Amino acid sequence: RPRVLSGIQPTADSFHLGNYLGALRQWVALQDDHDAFYCVVDLHAITVEQNPAELRQRTRVSVAQLLALGIDPERSTLFVQSHVPEHAQLGWVMQCLTGFGEAGRMTQFKDKSARQAAEHVSVGLFTYPILQAADILLYQANRVPVGEDQRQHLELTRDLANRFNSRYSPTFTLPEAHIVKGTAKIYDLQDPAAKMSKSVPAGMIELLADPKASAKKIRSAVTDTEREIRFDAEHKAGISNLLTIYSSLTGKTVAELETQYAGQGYGDFKKDLGEVVIEWVTPIQDKVKSYLDDKAELDKIMQRGAERARHVAARTLAKVYKKIGFLPHG
Ligand code: TYM
């Protein structure tokens, strides 16, 4: 069975609708016919300063959300990145394979670093995509389900895999980005030209927020001055984004929704979508709660995941260490 790997950062109190529609929904679907590895990337989280107690809590809540969304720990290997030391170890090897200029071309670093004072920008934030490459390559993943914003990191991963394979000998599988066209970029509700992101709370729908407050955010989403509910990403970015969300959460096609809402105003449409969101998140929130209530079970799931992940990761790292000329020991 083909392998799939992906990761998500535990850097917010809740995942948001962009995370879900861009990536996590695909994580769940791919479990059926893939050997899946999914991790909560706490090593990546510390590229910006984290409060320790908050990081611990957010890591647990992240695992609970993945379970609630339908990641099945029996079928998939669900783990926390720092529990598998091979990530940091292969990360170092990959750093030594990456050109400084090559790393400097990563646009996400440019965006993220521009938002902070220079003295707060860590070297870790700069080398972040190289650690991400290690995450993927350790598991010999064939596919990596992510949103559009990760495309460039996947290109870097392939370049590094190719470089290692040709400098030494074939070692790494070349991974492909699994990016679903319609939902690869979910937009901010207040600024439909920007992607929905945890750095802009006003325009984001969180899985764990009060569902009524989320419905309200939908009702006050920025749209346009026309009246027609029609998909046109260029001229009607706000309505198109809402149509994408509505369609993904209900399984109705965009065309069906356009017909259903022909002649109706934006207000009715948004009100209905608010209800759809409430119906969707409420049972997920209940599940998250019950996973968080059983601490022992959650710990067991993380431990089992880490053991399974290490088994695969250690094999890859051993091959790499040997090929680059590190002396064997023990
Ligand atoms: P992160 O934690 O920022 O986001 C998790 C996933 O959500 C997707 N995403 C979106 N998709 C559509 N629309 C949006 N508005 C939106 N916002 C976020 C992201 O593309 C991502 O797939 N670097 C990664 C984490 C990572 C990783 C990995 C991913 C670390 N190692 C290995 C894949 C493989 C990140 O910061 O994702």
Side-chain angles (χ1 to χ4, degrees):
R1 290 205 302 175
R3 271 277 160 80
V4 63
L5 175 131
S6 199
I8 186 159
Q9 296 199 66
T11 46
D13 292 331
S14 168
F15 296 156
H16 60 69
L17 206 49
N19 298 138
Y20 176 68
L21 295 180
L24 304 179
R25 209 159 69 118
Q26 282 64 254
W27 293 22
V28 175
L30 288 165
Q31 295 179 109
D32 295 338
D33 46 10
H34 287 73
D35 186 15
F37 289 78
Y38 296 130
C39 61
V40 174
V41 293
D42 52 354
L43 298 176
H44 280 94
I46 64 163
T47 54
V48 296
E49 194 178 337
Q50 299 293 330
N51 169 297
E54 206 167 75
L55 180 59
R56 270 189 289 274
Q57 175 63 10
R58 287 173 167 180
T59 302
R60 286 187 170 283
V61 175
S62 295
V63 174
Q65 284 177 97
L66 292 174
L67 293 165
L69 288 170
I71 301 298
D72 173 0
E74 299 299 325
R75 283 187 295 161
S76 298
T77 301
L78 175 60
F79 65 102
V80 173
Q81 189 185 28
S82 66
H83 293 173
V84 182
E86 285 80 2
H87 288 253
Q89 293 175 293
L90 185 65
W92 175 253
V93 174
M94 289 294 144
Q95 284 189 50
C96 297
L97 215 64
T98 309
F100 194 83
E102 189 177 27
R105 284 195 290 277
M106 296 295 117
T107 55
Q108 199 170 62
F109 171 75
K110 292 185 200 170
D111 293 346
K112 284 190 181 178
S113 57
R115 276 193 253 122
Q116 298 178 52
E119 65 270 24
H120 291 307
V121 177
S122 71
V123 174
L125 190 66
F126 184 67
T127 59
Y128 175 115
I130 308 171
L131 179 61
Q132 179 168 353
D135 298 340
I136 297 165
L137 299 177
L138 268 179
Y139 299 92
Q140 309 287 1
N142 304 94
R143 269 175 218 136
V144 183
V146 285
E148 182 61 42
D149 61 349
Q150 300 298 317
R151 192 184 287 280
Q152 196 188 25
H153 295 166
L154 263 294
E155 283 307 315
L156 175 71
T157 305
R158 289 171 62 89
D159 289 346
L160 293 177
N162 264 321
R163 195 168 306 155
F164 190 97
N165 288 351
S166 59
R167 191 173 297 178
Y168 303 98
S169 61
T171 307
F172 294 120
T173 303
L174 287 194
E176 270 171 38
H178 178 89
I179 298 177
V180 174
K181 208 165 148 252
T183 54
K185 189 167 178 184
I186 299 298
Y187 295 88
D188 185 298
L189 298 181
Q190 286 300 314
D191 175 10
K195 80 168 178 187
M196 185 178 286
S197 137
K198 57 196 155 214
S199 50
V200 192
M204 160 182 83
I205 297 293
E206 288 171 306
L207 258 57
L208 300 182
D210 169 17
K212 288 207 184 84
S214 295
K216 194 167 165 220
K217 277 189 182 176
I218 299 262
R219 289 199 302 273
S220 53
V222 168
T223 47
D224 53 65
T225 52
E226 291 181 15
R227 301 182 46 95
E228 207 186 345
I229 295 164
R230 172 171 57 83
F231 191 94
D232 178 348
E234 199 181 329
H235 302 106
K236 296 167 77 69
I239 283 292
S240 302
N241 188 42
L242 295 179
L243 277 167
T244 300
I245 294 170
Y246 200 145
S247 158
S248 314
L249 292 182
T250 58
K252 291 182 186 175
T253 64
V254 167
E256 281 164 358
L257 291 170
E258 286 171 343
T259 311
Q260 182 182 333
Y261 284 99
Q264 291 190 60
Y266 289 175
D268 294 332
F269 172 72
K270 288 171 164 180
K271 191 160 155 290
D272 290 355
L273 178 54
E275 293 300 321
V276 166
V277 168
I278 291 177
E279 266 173 50
W280 175 68
V281 294
T282 304
I284 293 171
Q285 294 189 355
D286 293 341
K287 286 189 199 158
V288 171
K289 270 197 211 90
S290 69
Y291 280 113
L292 288 173
D293 283 344
D294 194 346
K295 185 170 179 294
E297 176 63 17
L298 201 66
D299 285 347
K300 206 158 72 188
I301 288 171
M302 288 189 276
Q303 194 189 333
R304 241 187 310 145
E307 275 163 21
R308 275 167 27 196
R310 273 204 88 168
H311 182 74
V312 177
R315 278 181 39 195
T316 305
L317 187 73
K319 277 191 211 160
V320 168
Y321 271 23
K322 190 168 170 207
K323 292 190 193 203
I324 55 188
F326 289 169
L327 273 179
H329 74 289

